[in-house]
Amino acid sequence: MNNREFIAKRIAKELKDGDVVNLGIGMPTMVANYIPKDIQIMLQAENGILGVGPKPALEEERPDCIDAGGNYVTAVKGACFFDSSFSFCIIRGGHVDITVLGALEVDEEGNVANWMIPGKKVPGMGGAMDLVVGAKKVILAMEHVSKNGSPKILKKCRLPLTAVNVAKTIVTDMAVIDVVPDKGLVLKEIAPGLSVEEVQRATEAHLMISPDLKFIEV
Amino acid sequence: MKNKLTTAREAVGKVKDGDSIMIGGFLTGGHPENLVSALVNTNTAGNLTIISNDTGTQELSVYQLVKSGRVKHIFASYIGSNPETGRLLMTGEAKVQLFPQGTLAEKIRAGGAGLGGILTPVGIGTVVEEGKKKIKINDREYLLELPLKANVAFIKAHKADETGNLIMNGSSRNFNIVMATAADYVVAEVEEYVKAGEIDPNHVNVPGIFVDAIVKVG
């Protein structure tokens, strides 16, 4: 299992029966592969589907059934379609239980940066800002450090923010961390084989250690 | 009853220098490709403003439109799928304004619904709030986002009847419904065209009064 699969699989354990869930593009989408068999959730796609199903067979691909990443999908039994205005009524209005998104940076206050790198890459925020502000619970799926090894979990975000005080849980290849308002980051779980010191060394922000600290199980 | 059926060439012929154009669709889904293609190939109007969720993808004619130098202003939420829009933003050759997706949808809805603007918590604490009025209601801060209207809207639907009533399929509703309400001249590209009475009134997504012209393709 690679890091991305490990992260996606751990996040899938956060989902509860009946949840309305929006998965971002990339690693968050992989969470759908690991949804526990004994629960049913409704996946929301901001382009206008509640009840996104698996990828269709080639001959069943329909241009009128794509997800927010532009990929062909199916609609599950009980699914429904709606327009963008209604879709963001669901998102901004607090009717999404969990959103899972990638992040470039997150900090001790739960501030998130995931939509642009000034001067380099400006793909736009798409629905990310609405999702992190509107969803009841924001889970970040991210590699613990960047490709060059520098921390992405910071004291204070340096990149332009997506929103302030929104992240609830951060799941990485090294740890599961909760953001506690007005307190900071609490280390809840660490990857098997790692020590708390190793996780802290890879993290710029200060980590408080949960009294129930345990190893991540996937 | 006024005959709304026309050709793509005739419909796009209404676009004049300096016009603003809403283009429906989400990536390739529900995108009025034939209308945009006709605009690129049979109309030379410049100094255009484009309002589109994502300015499409490289396979679509909107990529050619953005590349043509005829567009001076773009409103979008995500442009990662059209590198040419990103280039215009970086070089400043066109003014590219990015909005959270739900905000963009709601600005258009406000334009069509006769509202003076909308108040959204999305964007507070980010660069999105720059230059915008902030209003506090019950201790929560909101951004005032102003309505968006356009001279022309190109939208995509599955089916139209003679009165202009539209039916959209699946995830192709996206921005097509709100855009139909917010432009002076609304053109719908459709796959099927039927007599009045052949669409069940229960199934109409856009009332015909919003639609000025219908172009049947395929």
Side-chain angles (χ1 to χ4, degrees):
Chain A
M1 193 185 320
N2 64 33
N3 281 352
R4 291 161 63 85
E5 289 164 351
F6 178 80
I7 294 166
K9 208 166 172 189
R10 175 60 189 82
I11 290 174
K13 293 174 68 177
E14 297 289 309
L15 309 180
K16 293 187 297 294
D17 193 39
D19 277 349
V20 174
V21 180
N22 184 298
L23 301 175
I25 296 165
M27 186 168 23
T29 303
M30 294 164 59
V31 172
N33 302 335
Y34 304 107
I35 297 163
K37 295 277 176 276
D38 56 339
I39 67 164
Q40 274 195 325
I41 63 160
M42 276 298 223
L43 287 176
Q44 201 256 12
E46 62 267 31
N47 60 316
I49 313 179
L50 184 59
V52 176
K55 198 171 139 56
L58 196 62
E59 65 276 13
E60 277 158 31
E61 289 178 349
R62 289 170 41 220
D64 289 330
C65 203
I66 61 171
D67 67 12
N71 308 298
Y72 292 112
V73 292
T74 51
V76 300
K77 281 181 186 163
C80 57
F81 298 111
F82 34 79
D83 75 302
S84 296
S85 184
F86 205 98
S87 185
F88 283 89
C89 162
I90 293 174
I91 290 168
R92 201 192 310 99
H95 311 285
V96 168
D97 295 299
I98 293 178
T99 185
V100 182
L101 288 167
L104 299 166
E105 294 176 352
V106 56
D107 68 26
E108 292 178 354
E109 293 170 9
N111 301 326
V112 178
N114 75 352
W115 73 280
M116 73 173 285
I117 304 172
K120 279 191 181 164
K121 207 176 170 204
V122 190
M125 65 290 279
M129 287 190 178
D130 305 88
L131 279 161
V132 294
V133 170
K136 287 185 195 147
K137 182 174 181 180
V138 175
I139 300 177
L140 299 180
M142 57 197 284
E143 307 254 7
H144 204 92
V145 297
S146 71
K147 284 200 179 75
N148 64 19
S150 55
K152 296 167 72 173
I153 304 173
L154 308 175
K155 288 185 193 307
K156 194 90 189 159
C157 287
R158 299 188 260 275
L159 291 170
L161 295 181
T162 306
V164 294
N165 308 128
V166 290
K168 177 76 178 66
T169 299
I170 305 160
V171 179
T172 77
D173 48 307
M174 298 180 83
V176 177
I177 296 164
D178 271 356
V179 183
V180 181
D182 304 320
K183 257 186 98 188
L185 305 181
V186 176
L187 182 62
K188 307 258 295 186
E189 300 176 23
I190 58 176
L194 288 183
S195 68
V196 169
E197 293 69 30
E198 284 172 300
V199 175
Q200 178 64 74
R201 264 204 302 279
T203 312
E204 184 193 276
H206 173 66
L207 297 175
M208 292 174 279
I209 315 301
S210 163
D212 307 319
L213 182 73
K214 56 183 184 179
F215 285 121
I216 298 175
E217 285 174 37
V218 295
Chain B
M1 195 188 316
K2 187 184 164 232
N3 179 12
K4 295 182 178 182
L5 199 62
T6 183
T7 62
R9 193 183 181 113
E10 207 166 311
V12 305
K14 304 261 188 191
V15 174
K16 303 180 305 295
D17 276 344
D19 271 357
S20 51
I21 308 171
M22 290 183 178
I23 301 176
F26 191 111
L27 301 173
T28 56
H31 177 76
E33 172 59 19
N34 290 276
L35 295 176
V36 180
S37 168
L39 180 68
V40 170
N41 297 314
T42 69
N43 176 305
T44 56
N47 213 15
L48 300 173
T49 295
I50 299 296
I51 300 157
S52 156
N53 176 54
D54 45 51
T55 64
T57 68
Q58 276 176 282
E59 305 87 69
L60 299 172
S61 296
V62 65
Y63 177 74
Q64 304 302 332
L65 179 64
V66 171
K67 207 175 173 182
S68 67
R70 294 163 61 187
V71 178
K72 57 121 209 252
H73 195 168
I74 294 170
F75 293 79
S77 86
Y78 175 80
I79 57 171
S81 54
N82 186 337
E84 187 58 20
T85 310
R87 197 189 64 78
L88 294 183
L89 182 148
M90 290 294 184
T91 60
E93 283 170 54
K95 184 175 177 187
V96 180
Q97 278 182 280
L98 296 170
F99 296 87
Q101 200 163 94
T103 299
L104 184 64
E106 221 52 22
K107 281 168 75 74
I108 297 167
R109 197 183 68 85
L115 300 174
I118 58 130
L119 297 174
T120 176
V122 178
I124 290 284
T126 78
V127 296
V128 170
E129 71 172 41
E130 283 171 14
K132 291 171 189 163
K133 193 181 268 186
K134 283 197 257 186
I135 296 171
K136 202 172 225 175
I137 297 170
N138 296 332
D139 291 329
R140 191 170 188 193
E141 277 198 310
Y142 296 85
L143 287 185
L144 173 64
E145 292 277 8
L146 301 176
L148 257 183
K149 296 185 85 164
N151 300 109
V152 179
F154 293 152
I155 62 171
K156 170 79 196 291
H158 169 61
K159 190 190 279 193
D161 72 14
E162 291 167 309
T163 72
N165 288 327
L166 302 178
I167 289 187
M168 284 144 186
N169 271 352
S171 55
S172 292
R173 288 163 171 79
N174 55 61
F175 280 76
N176 289 304
I177 292 182
V178 279
M179 285 180 175
T181 67
D184 300 329
Y185 182 68
V186 176
V187 188
E189 172 178 325
V190 302
E191 291 146 19
E192 282 183 37
Y193 178 75
V194 297
K195 287 194 162 44
E198 288 184 28
I199 290 178
D200 182 338
N202 281 304
H203 297 161
V204 172
N205 294 120
V206 173
I209 53 159
F210 290 109
V211 179
D212 299 291
I214 301 161
V215 173
K216 187 186 172 301
V217 298

